Amino acid sequence: MCLIEPGQSGECRVRINIDGVLRTVVYGFPCSLNIDPIEKKPLFHFLPGTGVLSIATVGCNLHCLNCQNWEISQANPEDSQAVFCPPERLVSLCRESRCLSLAYTYTDPIIYYEYTYDTAKLARQANIRNVLVTAGYINKEPWEKLLKYVDAANIDLKGITDDFYVRICSATLKPVQDALLVAKASGILVEVTNLIIPTLNDKPEQIRELSRWVKANLGGETPLHFSGFTPKYKMQHLPPTPLKTLEIAREIAISEGLDYVYIGNVRSKEGENTYCPGCKSLLIERKGYFILQNRLKDGHCPDCGREIYGVWK
Amino acid sequence: MTRRKFIHKLIKAGSHSYCVLGIAYCVYGIASLFSRNTHHARRTTKFVRALRLKKYPGSLRPLRDIHKQSKWSG
């Protein structure tokens, strides 16, 4: 938690103390505003095949050495470009482009909290769903308040040790695990992402421990995405994650009882598809972010009738 | 004995026992300061909604084609 002196900003760079009053400098000023496939978040069990209006402001409360979006997450707002787009305009843009959902993503909605909260509230009134893509490093009270207007979240579980979070992200593990538990208990759809970085969190025993934690605390139906790392920011000396490592991680997670385990950022035929955890038949076939076929019948397996975790319409 | 007199005696005498007591006093002082700060942080933890700044500190640009997929991850 930052204690911000007058005239200073917090660790995130975008919340400042002006004469004892906390102010956000990015409210209504996204640096990025695009329509993405929902699968890109990644969310594989939420309105598949639909477009989601995705926004972010600069800043982040974490400083991950491997950040894939460091050019905006570690940027100073005074050095960056943005557009003016207040919450009402965001919602009308979403409606005009016929997107079913709005995603608060790329950097972290936690640091543009008020903008996220106000937009999400308006979007809910307009029957637009709200999606968060976040590292989950947030205190309980604001998290619970925000979740009332959220429909789905992809939350990073970057590692399973405090040491990893401290060394790589300048953060700690417990607040993230607590945020995951609160999110799941709130009833929203939760998917988890773990970015596998060679030599840092790619050992089979680490993958096993992470998978066990997800199964025991969030439930075996919680989709888990293993993403491949690309050398970026302060980790350009490390190699990209080999496909073999991701495939082994997926096998370990499935052996630990997780029903839906995916591989991301790297092409993998089986790792991109959704299979029935009961009869193993192919339910949703994907190629990258595109749906090739969707065999689900009202959210159930068409072959054995098993209910498949997700929000399908 | 006041704290000022005690420290003065410490400097003047250079006595070993006074040094030990002085060090212990400093450790106690630092420990109580830390616990006060920690307690202060715990006591004042509450959710504060930030007010918005009307003017963006950086530069503004017009809205471009939003139908193009973003290059950012997530």
Side-chain angles (χ1 to χ4, degrees):
Chain A
M1 180 173 60
C2 325
L3 285 173
I4 310 174
E5 296 288 327
Q8 301 292 322
S9 69
E11 283 289 322
C12 64
R13 307 165 203 255
V14 299
R15 302 168 78 78
I16 58 176
N17 178 341
I18 299 178
D19 298 327
V21 177
L22 183 64
R23 296 200 180 258
T24 163
V25 306
V26 291
Y27 186 112
F29 297 110
C31 63
S32 191
L33 208 166
N34 300 84
I35 296 174
D36 287 338
I38 191 77
E39 285 78 12
K40 186 176 173 287
K41 300 298 111 188
L43 280 173
F44 279 15
H45 290 242
F46 187 78
L47 306 178
T50 62
V52 54
L53 183 64
S54 303
I55 69 151
T57 71
V58 295
C60 190
N61 56 340
L62 266 58
H63 308 287
C64 305
L65 301 177
N66 60 296
C67 184
Q68 311 286 284
N69 294 340
W70 66 274
E71 288 139 298
I72 50 174
S73 72
Q74 307 303 307
N76 292 318
E78 59 272 22
D79 299 328
S80 66
Q81 263 199 344
V83 297
F84 176 55
C85 202
E88 307 76 20
R89 181 71 184 121
L90 269 182
V91 171
S92 63
L93 269 175
C94 198
R95 255 197 294 215
E96 285 161 24
S97 43
R98 298 186 196 283
C99 290
L100 299 182
S101 55
L102 245 167
Y104 312 83
T105 176
Y106 307 140
T107 52
D108 203 307
I110 283 164
I111 55 96
Y112 53 99
Y113 179 92
E114 292 78 7
Y115 185 31
T116 300
Y117 182 92
D118 290 352
T119 307
K121 205 168 167 185
L122 278 178
R124 175 62 66 82
Q125 289 167 10
N127 282 327
I128 292 167
R129 319 277 183 110
N130 294 296
V131 166
L132 301 182
V133 182
T134 172
Y137 201 60
I138 183 171
N139 285 322
K140 192 177 180 202
E141 189 187 344
W143 187 227
E144 284 178 332
K145 280 182 162 34
L146 181 58
L147 285 175
K148 290 193 177 91
Y149 299 104
V150 173
D151 300 280
N154 183 298
I155 303 172
D156 285 328
L157 184 56
K158 296 177 186 283
I160 200 58
T161 63
D162 213 43
D163 177 66
F164 180 90
Y165 267 87
V166 169
R167 277 192 307 122
I168 308 303
C169 309
S170 307
T172 53
L173 172 62
K174 191 167 186 309
V176 177
Q177 289 178 317
D178 289 345
L180 277 160
L181 292 169
V182 168
K184 192 75 185 197
S186 75
I188 68 164
L189 180 118
V190 174
E191 299 191 31
V192 177
T193 294
N194 175 245
L195 185 82
I196 297 185
I197 309 168
T199 75
L200 295 180
N201 63 349
D202 62 343
K203 292 189 179 56
E205 52 269 28
Q206 291 168 319
I207 305 291
R208 195 171 299 281
E209 192 183 342
L210 186 143
S211 304
R212 281 181 182 163
W213 188 91
V214 171
K215 163 89 170 143
N217 293 277
L218 305 179
E221 75 284 359
T222 305
L224 175 59
H225 301 260
F226 289 116
S227 283
F229 158 82
T230 307
K232 284 253 173 103
Y233 193 36
K234 297 185 179 181
M235 285 202 172
Q236 295 186 52
H237 58 289
L238 292 177
T241 317
L243 176 60
K244 191 73 191 158
T245 304
L246 294 163
E247 286 172 340
I248 290 170
R250 182 169 177 264
E251 282 165 17
I252 291 172
I254 291 170
S255 74
E256 289 297 331
L258 292 177
D259 292 338
Y260 311 103
V261 187
Y262 302 102
I263 288 173
N265 290 353
V266 172
R267 288 302 319 278
S268 158
K269 197 162 169 33
E270 284 203 355
E272 290 175 325
N273 297 336
T274 301
Y275 298 92
C276 176
C279 69
K280 311 298 179 203
S281 60
L282 175 65
L283 298 176
I284 303 177
E285 187 182 5
R286 298 180 185 86
K287 187 176 178 182
Y289 301 135
F290 298 102
I291 305 285
L292 298 179
Q293 63 166 325
N294 183 347
R295 300 179 62 241
L296 282 174
K297 292 236 175 338
D298 288 325
H300 291 75
C301 173
D303 299 321
C304 72
R306 183 178 173 131
E307 187 179 356
I308 305 300
Y309 176 76
V311 174
W312 306 110
K313 56 179 179 184
Chain B
M1 189 190 297
T2 64
R3 196 174 67 177
R4 188 163 162 264
K5 274 187 183 168
F6 169 72
I7 293 169
H8 188 68
K9 265 194 175 314
L10 196 67
I11 294 164
K12 213 173 172 187
S15 141
H16 177 71
S17 59
Y18 271 120
C19 281
V20 168
L21 280 171
I23 290 165
Y25 185 85
C26 287
V27 168
Y28 170 75
I30 290 165
S32 67
L33 184 67
F34 178 77
S35 75
R36 261 206 307 277
N37 280 347
T38 307
H39 179 63
H40 178 74
R42 269 203 299 269
R43 196 159 28 102
T44 59
T45 299
K46 66 171 187 173
F47 173 45
V48 175
R49 190 187 149 104
L51 299 179
R52 55 186 291 195
L53 264 186
K54 293 276 169 67
K55 191 174 175 343
Y56 190 64
S59 57
L60 291 178
R61 59 169 172 82
L63 187 62
R64 292 183 201 126
D65 181 17
I66 63 172
H67 293 88
K68 194 177 162 193
Q69 190 176 306
S70 168
K71 65 176 182 175
W72 305 118
S73 175

